[in-house]
Every structure is written in C-alpha cells, then in structure tokens.
Amino acid sequence: MGEVAVTAALPGRALSLLADQHHVRVRPPGAPLAGRELAAFVGDADALICLLADRVTAELFALCPRLKVVADYAVGVNNVDLEAARTSGVWVTNTPDVLTAATADLAWALILAVTRRVVEGDRLVRAGGFKGWRPDFMLGTGLQGKAPGIVGMGRIGRAVARRADGFGMRVSYTSLERAPPFEAMGAEYVADLDALLPEVDVLSLHCPLTPKTRHLIDARRLHLLPRGAFLVNTSRGEVVDEAALVAALEDGHLGGAGLDVYEREPEVHPGLVGRSNVVLLPHLGSATTDTRAAMADLAVENVRAVLAGSVPPTPVVTPVVPRR
Ligand code: DGY
C-alpha cells in the first residue's frame, strides 16, 4: 500500500476507488500550494496528484525523497519543473486526450461569443436594453469564409481545426509539427508565426506554455494581425502579454478577444474587465462533468501504474533512474 497526496478533491469515483488500494490524503479547499508548503503537505507520500496552479519545484523533489510520481490533473504541465523531476527520479504524468473535445468546444464557444457579441447581447437584454429588432442593431462578424489561425497543432489545435470546417472556414496554422491530414483537407501550414498573423481573422492559441512561448503573442505580433482581428486563448495566460493585449484593444487594432486563461490567473487585468468586446471565462476549457471525471480516472491510473512498478499510461517525464 502506497501513500497518495492529492491537493484537491476530484470529481467522479476515481479517488475513492484508489483508496481501496492505497492510503489517499486529500487536501481541504485552499489556495494553490508551492515550495515548502506543498512539500509539507506531500510529506512521505509516494505519489502526488496536483492541480495546474500548484507549483512543483526541484525543492519539493529534494524535500520529499519518497515521491515517485507527480500526476498533474491537467494536460499542460508548466507548473512542474520537468527537468528536476527527470533527474530526481520522479515520473510526471498528465491528462491528454480526455479533455481535447471539451477544450476545443470551448475555444469555439469563445470564437462565436466574441465575434457575434453573445455575452454583450445577453447583458443588454437583461438590462432592459432590447427595444425591438433593427437592421443595424448589434452587428457582429460572420465566420463563413474567414480564416482562423491556429498556433499549436497538437491534439486540441487539431480538434479546433476539425470544427472550423463546419463553419465554412479555411484553417491556417503554425506548429512545431506539421499535420499532413489537415493540409490534405485544405489547411495551410505557415512555418513562421509572423507570416501567419497578417492572414488570419481569428487567432486561436493552443501551444503549451514553455520559456519559448511565454509572451509569444506580444505587442509587435498583435499588431501583425489585421485590424479588427480577434484573439482567443484557451491555452495558458502567459502565452499572451496581457498588457499589450489591453493596449491593442484600447487602440482599436483588435476587434475583440475571448479569454479562458490569464497571465496572473486568477487575477484578470483590469483593462479587460470593462470592455464589451472581450469575453472572459474562468478557465473552463475542460470543465464538463464527464471530462473532469475522465481526467481523475487517468491521473489515478497513472499513479496506480507507477506504484505497481509499471510505466504509466500518459507520461510526460520518464525519470533517468526511477525512485523505488
Ligand atoms: C489543462 O488541462 O491544462 C487545462 O488547462 C485544464 O482545464
């Protein structure tokens, strides 16, 4: 029997099933943990299941020598020092695939909401501002024939691209890896992000957050987009320079933005909050009941495998010499 520390209760039955085999400790609700606080919570645990806001550092691996696996309850693992895990003998796993459709759907929810002024319209009706249909009332931007640009053609980027077809849009994308099946369907690969930007009407971000992608979308690149273009971000807030985004909205260059993630999450830049051409969601990409339960199942499967001495199903880091 191993000991598993979990930084928050998870939806579904996965944790209670895990508790049949292992000693499971779940942290009561609280602010995300980092450094020594997180190490104190992990203690002598063999496995940690953590959330995307918990900071898992080299210090934690040193302070918790029994820890064998960090199962991140997320697909993005930018909260974990991956190199320190590798050299410290700790597996890191994530929850890919199970959240792809939910996150791609949410990206499209944001694209539609911001281009067709859905939230603005809802607010107006509730405030009693709907005085009857008029030909020129609350006009938005149609999607048919427009060009979505996808940054990062991984699982979620591809799922977003597949959905574009249904809206009569032809995708352009840039990515470390090319996606030949999409090119066969008419998607255009543009190797250089700077060359992609002037071509797109809606830019949707799906790359992981790494030192290279931090502020990938900065003031200069925002102004490479055509005037009136829209930005949608369901990846990580730090991929966008939020102050530059606010400036590009304020100077009228961008037509609007749909954001699910923020640079200093959960803080939101005050310059975004008052803008009617910005739709703001509280990091809901994977937030469906089924998806969140499936993420818990996968995190638990990863933990079970490592504690049984096997290779976990979805590793991000394979340690040099796994801890025993
Ligand atoms: C992830 O899994 O990385 C998402 O941001 C969580 O919804």
Side-chain angles (χ1 to χ4, degrees), residues 52 74-76 99 235-236 283 285-286 292 295:
L52 54 88
V75 71
L99 49 62
S235 63
R236 286 290 182 265
H283 204 149
S286 61
R292 289 284 168 84
M295 288 166 67

Side-chain angles (χ1 to χ4, degrees), residues 194-208:
D194 286 5
L196 173 84
L197 296 173
E199 290 183 21
V200 308
D201 301 298
V202 181
L203 186 71
S204 192
L205 304 178
H206 301 287
C207 54

Side-chain angles (χ1 to χ4, degrees), residues 61 80-92 317 319-320:
F61 301 128
V80 181
D81 184 334
L82 301 178
E83 185 49 24
R86 200 179 72 82
T87 53
S88 307
V90 179
W91 291 91
V92 179
V317 166
V320 184

